[in-house]
Amino acid sequence: MTQNLRFSRRSALGLMTGGAALVGPTVARATVDPARFTHGVAAGDPLQNGFVIWTRAIGNGATVLLRWEVADDASFRRIIQSGTVQATAARDHTAKIDVTGLHAGREYFYRFHSADTSSTVGRARTLPNGDVERARLAVVSCSHYGFGYFNAYRAIADLEEPVDAVVHLGDYIYEYGVDGYGGPESRALGREHDPAHEIVTLDDYRRRFAQYRADPDLQAAHARAAFITIWDDHETANNSWMSGSSAHDGDTEGPWDSRRDAAIQAYFEWLPMRDPPPRRPAHVLNRVYDFGDLLSLIAVETRLTGRTKAPSASRDMIFDAEGHPDPARFESEVLNRPERSMMGAAQEVWLEDALTASVQRGTAWQVLANQVIVARMRAPDFMSIMPDDMLQDAISRAGSRRWLESTRLSLPINLDAWDGYPAARLRLYDAARRSGANLAVLSGDTHMFWGNRLHDPRDEAFVGVEFGTGSVTSPGGYETISADLRIYEIAETALVAKNPDVRFAHVRDHGFLIVEISKAKLTCSYYQIADIKTRDTGTHCFAQITVDRHGAFQVRKTDERHVPRRIGRGV
């Protein structure tokens, strides 16, 4: 883990722990080792006075001593901080520095040196302080390597107006082997997962991160702005909760805690973020990022800290005396159990305290960085709304008939989201209402785009807004129901009509969000990537949603097209 150490002659000679942030003239003159920078650079976890910088370097031995620099100009004529750090085999040859002593709200440039080469140059902004008028965030989620190229990351790197930070809401990697989810697509594209099997061990997770981080488009995004990251399930295993995963077999894959801890260790090694503080469990990831008096970005952990196992309509359904499904009893007796938890009791208390503290400081917005959809979202009856020709084709497809028939029950469409934990959602809403939060939620997971206006089901009072991002590459799912392109418009129209919380739905395409925050309003721009099967494609801003502090919600379609420029080595 990263440690802050005092200078000594011994440390100046390079006998230092990996990841320690050492700054000073003696250390800056230390002789560094020859090495290759194999995975670019990255920055993350920004604060008002600094951020974490990251690289990976391979040398002749298990330990490589590197020099790092942070400057306030791209030519590095004005170096603000510098020092040395070790990249060690114990941390998979990665190195991290928690750079401090910087000014708030400023852009800085950083790089690493070995004896005979230099890394790519990266840039990152510190968080602003005091009276802040505007912030701009990119929001991404769900980047399966095998389904396509990471053009969304490249588009973020190539934005003409840079963002203050990139918020990654999870599924940064996927755990599947080449015979699992995305296998046929990855073979066709030549982007098969490494290792070839489903990842379980520390070495497996490290190799998978190394594969993803070798991608040039992901490297470009990391070099362009600081990342604020939280995980969802695929960083460990599909549909994970605090005690397991729907895809984990303890008999063949060992104890869940061992797999979880291996995944988390690799996550902290490979991402530019502060290591867990001493005596805090590594899987507890909740934290707060304050952008002056404009917004508090509050990252919550909804997978491994306190989530109970998700309910399942197929496994937990209650049937009446005649053997028919009883969805009303299923909801009341299964879904609405108060012990169903998404965050755990301790994190629920922490979140309300964070919301309250932000409001009391006079912060304009409280923005939740959250993995899965919060809004109530029930399935429309697709059996009754699909045209006959499309329906006949759909029910002939393997797996589609059962799903289509289940939509007749009008149950929540995704029980692995907050819809599967309605009592926990009510506690979230209570916390937001008691604190007086001006709440906005950022969500990922679904591989679809959403604009939601959240209401408390007990009195339909307005609670906040939610912006859901589509995926970088992972498919949405409706294409498996029908090859007829009408399926998308049918689904989008029906989902909005069925669900009062849902004001905008776009269930096709891949891309990202740009969220611009001012004290008076939020503006969310929805960006679509033209194609993920080829590189260097353009982007299209296809919709914008503007929300003011009273909850007024305006959706407009746009036709703003961009062709990204290519960026080369460095800035």
Side-chain angles (χ1 to χ4, degrees):
M1 294 184 180
T2 301
Q3 302 176 30
N4 293 318
L5 304 180
R6 294 182 179 273
F7 291 128
S8 69
R9 181 175 298 275
R10 190 172 182 85
S11 65
L13 293 174
L15 299 177
M16 298 168 291
T17 58
L22 301 179
V23 183
T26 301
V27 173
R29 289 195 297 269
T31 301
V32 296
D33 299 324
R36 294 179 295 109
F37 294 99
T38 58
H39 288 79
V41 297
D45 260 1
L47 300 174
Q48 279 80 13
N49 68 340
F51 40 71
V52 173
I53 61 174
W54 177 100
T55 195
R56 187 172 191 253
I58 304 294
N60 296 325
T63 299
V64 175
L65 184 64
L66 306 171
R67 188 172 75 255
W68 59 270
E69 298 172 329
V70 175
D72 63 4
D73 67 310
S75 62
F76 285 82
R77 293 189 180 94
R78 297 183 300 275
I79 296 175
I80 307 302
Q81 301 280 24
S82 64
T84 57
V85 64
Q86 285 182 332
T88 67
R91 293 187 66 99
D92 204 16
H93 306 283
T94 65
K96 289 195 289 192
I97 297 293
D98 190 355
V99 181
T100 59
L102 306 180
H103 294 292
R106 292 276 300 276
E107 182 177 63
Y108 291 90
F109 302 83
Y110 63 93
R111 65 187 177 186
F112 295 82
H113 301 284
S114 75
D116 53 1
T117 190
S118 297
S119 73
T120 301
V121 172
R123 62 173 72 181
R125 296 187 67 87
T126 52
L127 298 184
N129 210 351
D131 184 8
V132 178
E133 291 300 321
R134 183 172 177 265
R136 179 175 160 89
L137 303 173
V139 182
V140 291
S141 180
C142 304
S143 47
H144 188 296
Y145 187 84
F147 275 114
Y149 292 106
F150 289 165
N151 293 325
Y153 289 134
R154 174 64 66 172
I156 290 170
D158 290 352
L159 287 169
E160 291 185 8
E161 183 179 0
V163 294
D164 295 301
V166 178
V167 181
H168 200 297
L169 297 174
D171 295 346
Y172 184 99
I173 64 168
Y174 280 73
E175 81 281 16
Y176 298 101
V178 296
D179 294 328
Y181 177 61
E185 292 83 359
S186 68
R187 284 190 290 275
L189 202 60
R191 283 172 68 90
E192 291 182 280
H193 269 146
D194 177 58
H197 55 267
E198 183 173 335
I199 54 177
V200 176
T201 67
L202 176 59
D203 180 66
D204 290 343
Y205 283 101
R206 284 172 165 175
R207 285 176 58 182
R208 189 63 55 85
F209 268 106
Q211 180 183 37
Y212 277 58
R213 291 296 301 275
D215 185 273
D217 301 317
L218 179 53
Q219 286 188 23
H222 271 297
R224 193 66 173 89
F227 270 53
I228 294 171
T229 59
I230 56 175
W231 54 60
D232 194 21
D233 53 339
H234 292 293
E235 288 86 350
T236 50
N238 185 48
N239 291 347
S240 55
W241 69 93
M242 62 180 176
S243 302
S245 156
S246 65
H248 180 76
D249 184 342
D251 292 336
T252 60
E253 295 174 323
W256 167 251
D257 287 359
S258 297
R259 182 177 185 177
R260 178 202 65 192
D261 292 349
I264 291 172
Q265 180 176 335
Y267 187 90
F268 277 103
E269 289 171 349
W270 278 88
L271 288 178
M273 58 195 303
R274 289 171 188 84
D275 287 343
R279 294 179 296 278
R280 176 174 172 170
H283 57 269
V284 177
L285 198 61
N286 48 293
R287 60 240 199 257
V288 180
Y289 302 88
D290 286 311
F291 291 67
D293 65 351
L294 179 61
L295 75 116
S296 294
L297 181 67
I298 304 172
V300 295
E301 201 290 304
T302 63
R303 280 290 173 189
L304 305 176
T305 302
R307 181 195 273 246
T308 55
K309 187 175 182 179
S312 167
S314 60
R315 182 187 64 238
D316 303 320
M317 177 55 66
I318 295 175
F319 296 88
D320 62 22
E322 297 178 348
H324 299 127
D326 191 336
R329 284 188 60 200
F330 171 74
E331 291 204 51
S332 64
E333 298 178 26
V334 177
L335 285 191
N336 287 301
R337 290 176 183 168
E339 66 269 22
R340 289 203 180 280
S341 169
M342 279 288 266
M343 297 189 296
Q347 190 177 183
E348 288 179 358
V349 172
W350 171 88
L351 176 58
E352 183 164 358
D353 288 346
L355 291 169
T356 301
S358 177
V359 171
Q360 291 178 347
R361 288 193 301 270
T363 308
W365 296 92
Q366 290 70 46
V367 180
L368 211 61
N370 152 81
Q371 292 92 328
V372 295
I373 292 293
V374 173
R376 291 174 292 167
M377 199 175 295
R378 292 183 180 273
D381 181 359
F382 282 98
M383 296 287 285
S384 65
I385 62 176
M386 290 175 68
D388 287 343
D389 59 331
M390 185 187 299
L391 180 61
Q392 293 307 311
D393 171 68
I395 62 178
S396 69
R397 291 169 171 252
S400 292
R401 174 189 286 272
R402 184 176 179 182
W403 184 84
L404 288 167
E405 289 176 344
S406 73
T407 66
R408 289 175 164 169
L409 301 177
S410 191
L411 288 169
I413 203 165
N414 181 9
L415 298 183
D416 193 54
W418 284 86
D419 259 337
Y421 303 80
R425 181 169 52 199
L426 292 181
R427 295 193 293 271
L428 170 65
Y429 288 175
D430 285 340
R433 296 178 73 169
R434 283 193 296 262
S435 66
N438 196 19
L439 185 67
V441 181
L442 307 177
S443 300
D445 180 63
T446 64
H447 315 164
M448 304 175 194
F449 295 95
W450 305 99
N452 302 324
R453 196 172 187 274
L454 305 176
H455 302 85
D456 190 325
R458 294 166 294 192
D459 58 7
E460 295 302 327
F462 170 71
V463 179
V465 298
E466 179 177 35
F467 303 127
T469 184
S471 69
V472 174
T473 58
S474 303
Y478 281 101
E479 68 280 359
T480 66
I481 303 300
S482 174
D484 191 321
L485 296 181
R486 290 177 295 170
I487 187 64
Y488 299 115
E489 184 176 355
I490 289 170
E492 291 162 2
T493 301
L495 285 161
V496 172
K498 177 76 173 179
N499 297 288
D501 278 7
V502 180
R503 299 299 179 89
F504 172 76
H506 186 88
V507 302
R508 64 196 116 169
D509 301 318
H510 307 278
F512 57 95
L513 307 179
I514 296 293
V515 181
E516 297 182 86
I517 304 104
S518 71
K519 289 185 175 148
K521 64 182 181 180
L522 302 175
T523 300
C524 181
S525 299
Y526 294 76
Y527 282 85
Q528 166 198 341
I529 298 299
D531 184 23
I532 61 170
K533 301 302 182 184
T534 60
R535 290 191 184 274
D536 302 326
T537 56
T539 63
H540 174 209
C541 179
F542 62 89
Q544 280 189 336
I545 294 178
T546 301
V547 181
D548 67 19
R549 297 190 63 183
H550 303 289
F553 203 93
Q554 296 182 336
V555 181
R556 70 181 183 91
K557 301 294 179 68
T558 68
D559 191 24
E560 177 188 348
R561 296 184 181 273
H562 298 276
V563 177
R565 58 185 174 84
R566 294 296 293 179
I567 65 174
R569 179 180 175 85
V571 179

